[in-house]
Amino acid sequence: MKFRQSLPNAPEMRGLKAAFVGTAKIVAKEVYRTFCRLTLRCPEIAALAQPGQFVNLYLNGMGGDQTFERSGLPMAAILPRPFSIAKIVPLLKGEITAEKAPQAFSVLFEVRGVGTKWLAGLSTDVPVQVAGPLGKGFWLPEGTRLAVLVAGGIGVAPFPFLAERLKALGVETLVLLGAQRKDKLPFDPVRAEFPLMGNGEPLSYWAADEFESIGVRSAVALDEPTEGFFAGTVVQLLKAWWATQKEREGVVLYGCGPSAMLRAFAQFAEQHQLPCQVSLEEHMACGFGICFGCPIPVKEGGYKLCCTEGPVFDAPTVAWSLLQ
């Protein structure tokens, strides 16, 4: 299976391919604070996935004696769980090439309800039913000089994959991550090697370890004032950083997070006439466009399905006033 380390150059180039439906084996698990990262061995998905796409994990009791008890639960508790593909994991020594495709992928999620608690409780080496890659992901406009990835909380999940791909393509990348408070950060904060500056002082002394470890600059904002962190929302951090920029050509914005945050993010992009893509969080039932359960209102009128036309949308096409 050929592996291409690229990104589409336009939204219409993000053609959907037939999804793999089968089993993947959990090869690593990390649970910390309220978050869980699962790494699943599935070469069929790992080789085809593009940043911004997602997978469905099914709660079907395939984990040996760790069966999921369905009786007495509402339908929402037994539907598959859609998760952004957070990272591609080689599981092979040496450089990934077209002839040596990666073997695994990881998902990152917050443990909130009965389904995510069950998934976080699975042990390694158990099989899980999976479908993917699903949806349409991010694209890279021609002439991009700097990609700015802006995330609210667990909305950062698709960005390690995107950041690694952009870095491999030689695109300068900056990640801005926001959360309510320090214990709500999906990644651990570390001292930034090159902190973002504003008025001669760092906007935030802290970066996210996930991105610092791959050589991508990042900065962290917290709603709750905390020493060393930017005090405010991640969109406010974006505005503070933007005010310091003299070179404004070739900047593309990518965002993922709660709807209110993305609405403010899209308004900023429109105000400054910046290309902007957003990955929308929406409840999904099937993931294949069959149930029509994830409609996104669009400015041209009507709706587009988040699972098949998204989850990544060109921000100006979304009818933000109608989005819940």
Side-chain angles (χ1 to χ4, degrees):
M1 183 178 295
K2 295 290 185 180
F3 174 65
R4 295 182 179 179
Q5 200 165 6
S6 61
L7 278 170
N9 294 126
E12 61 272 14
M13 296 175 64
R14 304 173 300 155
L16 286 174
K17 299 178 181 178
F20 169 81
V21 180
T23 59
K25 182 172 286 189
I26 299 174
V27 294
K29 182 180 78 169
E30 183 183 5
V31 180
Y32 53 98
R33 297 190 290 279
T34 58
F35 302 99
C36 178
R37 188 200 300 254
L38 296 178
T39 300
L40 300 104
R41 184 183 182 90
C42 185
E44 295 86 351
I45 291 177
L48 293 178
Q50 288 287 334
Q53 289 188 298
F54 68 97
V55 295
N56 269 350
L57 299 186
Y58 293 83
L59 313 181
N60 57 4
M62 292 186 65
D65 58 354
Q66 302 177 61
T67 57
F68 184 82
E69 180 54 60
R70 294 169 178 258
S71 61
L73 294 173
M75 181 59 69
I78 61 176
L79 293 173
R81 294 301 190 270
F83 297 117
S84 295
I85 298 172
K87 209 164 188 178
I88 298 300
V89 183
L91 294 187
L92 294 169
K93 292 183 178 180
E95 183 181 356
I96 295 176
T97 65
E99 289 71 32
K100 190 197 296 185
Q103 300 294 297
F105 66 90
S106 67
V107 296
L108 173 69
F109 56 89
E110 189 167 9
V111 182
R112 293 175 176 172
V114 62
T116 49
K117 286 180 181 177
W118 183 80
L119 286 167
L122 293 177
S123 59
T124 55
D125 293 327
V126 302
V128 176
Q129 186 177 353
V130 62
L134 301 172
K136 295 180 179 179
F138 298 106
W139 67 95
L140 182 64
E142 295 285 353
T144 300
R145 175 184 62 85
L146 172 63
V148 183
L149 285 50
V150 180
I154 195 61
V156 77
F159 285 163
F161 187 8
L162 178 59
E164 285 195 335
R165 184 62 56 85
L166 289 167
K167 183 177 174 62
L169 293 172
V171 178
E172 183 182 355
T173 304
L174 170 65
V175 181
L176 305 180
L177 172 60
Q180 292 177 328
R181 54 183 189 270
K182 190 174 177 180
D183 65 338
K184 288 292 185 179
L185 286 170
F187 299 129
D188 289 331
V190 294
R191 279 282 187 166
E193 184 175 0
F194 301 103
L196 301 187
M197 304 298 290
N199 297 322
E201 293 290 334
L203 293 172
S204 173
Y205 286 101
W206 297 97
D209 63 343
E210 183 79 10
F211 301 104
E212 288 288 298
S213 66
I214 61 172
V216 170
R217 295 180 72 193
S218 62
V220 181
L222 297 179
D223 293 348
E224 183 178 278
T226 306
E227 185 177 357
F229 293 87
F230 180 86
T233 69
V234 70
V235 175
Q236 289 171 332
L237 173 58
L238 171 65
K239 291 177 179 178
W241 168 79
W242 183 251
T244 68
Q245 300 306 296
K246 296 180 180 179
E247 176 58 62
R248 298 188 171 189
E249 296 296 322
V251 177
V252 177
L253 301 181
Y254 298 88
C256 187
S259 295
M261 170 238 151
L262 289 179
R263 189 178 296 112
F265 176 65
Q267 289 172 350
F268 171 85
E270 182 179 18
Q271 177 185 354
H272 295 282
Q273 299 182 319
L274 294 170
C276 180
Q277 300 168 35
V278 290
S279 178
L280 298 180
E281 298 177 340
E282 188 60 52
H283 293 292
M284 299 180 190
C286 70
F288 291 91
I290 299 172
C291 69
F292 292 88
C294 56
I296 300 296
V298 293
K299 287 183 179 178
E300 66 186 30
Y303 296 84
K304 291 186 177 181
L305 296 181
C306 192
C307 65
T308 55
E309 294 301 319
V312 178
F313 292 86
D314 198 0
T317 68
V318 178
W320 293 102
S321 62
L322 300 177
L323 191 67
Q324 298 299 315

